[in-house]
Amino acid sequence: EVQLVESGGGLVQPGGSLRLSCAASGFSFSDHYMDWVRQAPGKGLEWVGRAHSYTTEYAASVKGRFTISRDDSKNSLYLRMNSLKTEDTAVYYCARSSTGWYYFDYWGQGTLVTVSS
Amino acid sequence: DIQMTQSPSSLSASVGDRVTITCRASQSISSFLNWYQQKPGKAPKLLIYAASSFQSGVPSRFSGRGSGTDFTLTISSLQPEDFATYYCQQSYSSPRTFGQGTKVEIK
């Protein structure tokens, strides 16, 4: 059974940093792109970025502030968030991209990040 | 970036109604169009991928059509468990983009 479990969310002050983790199980982690998607309170879904073995891509809104990494030996995905802004407040989901069509076929339960003074 | 525009933003319908949601891409995305359902406090759930393919376990009352720039999600007979917010998303190119969502409410 595929499982994705995020952790690391919490309250952080503007300008601060936080690292989220996503532990994956039940599939061959190294075969898949893994993505981060966020959802601000009461708002829609926003793609944050994705990573495969040697490549990463980011949304313009987070590029230069957020870094996605992964450790395929630990089946884990990470999101390092620096210079956090109040508008980064959201539930952050990790999601698995299918091979080929790149739809998000499995999602974690999400972890809430609140940026506030 | 490819912009995804959904319509309507919300709708009210009754159990048993046929409901259609439209999604338009700002440029051709072939069939790289996916639909998700999200209920309050829950992660999104994949319904349809590649414009018209069913994800395993999705009821057959859900169907997707389209290619290029215009796509639809249809629920043939709305059930109580279908009241939720629906999002389209393109996986043709990065940045991956979502529609703004369509909230389906009980009339």
Side-chain angles (χ1 to χ4, degrees), chain A residues 13-112:
Chain A
Q13 292 188 336
S17 299
L18 206 59
R19 189 179 89 148
L20 307 183
S21 300
C22 172
S25 61
F27 66 100
S28 180
F29 184 75
S30 60
D31 288 346
H32 292 264
Y33 273 95
M34 295 296 296
D35 294 59
W36 288 99
V37 176
R38 68 183 180 181
Q39 187 170 37
K43 302 298 184 183
L45 300 168
E46 179 187 17
W47 181 76
V48 173
R50 69 175 187 161
H52 206 283
S53 301
Y54 299 107
T55 184
T56 53
E57 295 175 315
Y58 299 93
S61 59
V62 306
K63 195 169 186 179
R65 300 188 300 122
F66 290 11
T67 302
I68 298 174
S69 61
R70 57 190 289 165
D71 185 338
D72 289 355
S73 69
K74 295 182 178 179
N75 290 346
S76 292
L77 177 73
Y78 306 100
L79 178 65
R80 175 69 179 182
M81 302 182 292
N82 294 332
S83 304
L84 281 161
K85 307 175 182 180
T86 55
E87 52 263 40
D88 295 318
T89 294
V91 174
Y92 285 74
Y93 297 100
C94 69
R96 188 183 87 164
S97 278
S98 69
T99 53
W101 288 93
Y102 301 115
Y103 49 86
F104 303 135
D105 54 358
Y106 289 94
W107 297 67
Q109 83 288 353
T111 187
L112 176 62

Side-chain angles (χ1 to χ4, degrees), chain B residues 5-7 18-24 33-35 48 51-53 62-67 69-75 88:
Chain B
T5 304
Q6 275 182 246
S7 61
R18 181 182 180 90
V19 168
T20 297
I21 300 168
T22 297
C23 181
R24 175 165 289 176
L33 190 283
N34 314 302
W35 291 98
I48 302 285
S52 60
S53 296
F62 291 92
S63 63
R65 296 188 65 180
S67 66
T69 60
D70 294 316
F71 303 86
T72 58
L73 173 70
T74 298
I75 310 172
C88 63

Side-chain angles (χ1 to χ4, degrees), chain B residues 10 17 27-29 33-34 36 54 58 83 89 94 97 104:
Chain B
S10 64
D17 284 354
Q27 65 186 73
S28 177
I29 57 171
L33 190 283
N34 314 302
Y36 302 87
F54 296 99
V58 172
F83 292 95
Q89 177 248 339
S94 292
T97 43
V104 176

Side-chain angles (χ1 to χ4, degrees), chain B residues 3 10 25 41 43 51 56 59 63 70 73 75 78 91 93 102 105 107:
Chain B
Q3 308 303 318
S10 64
S56 175
S63 63
D70 294 316
L73 173 70
I75 310 172
L78 201 63
S91 53
S93 67
T102 296
E105 299 176 299
K107 182 183 284 185

Side-chain angles (χ1 to χ4, degrees), chain B residues 83-103:
Chain B
F83 292 95
T85 300
Y86 295 84
Y87 294 93
C88 63
Q89 177 248 339
Q90 64 84 13
S91 53
Y92 181 79
S93 67
S94 292
R96 273 55 175 137
T97 43
F98 291 87
Q100 80 277 19
T102 296
K103 187 173 184 179

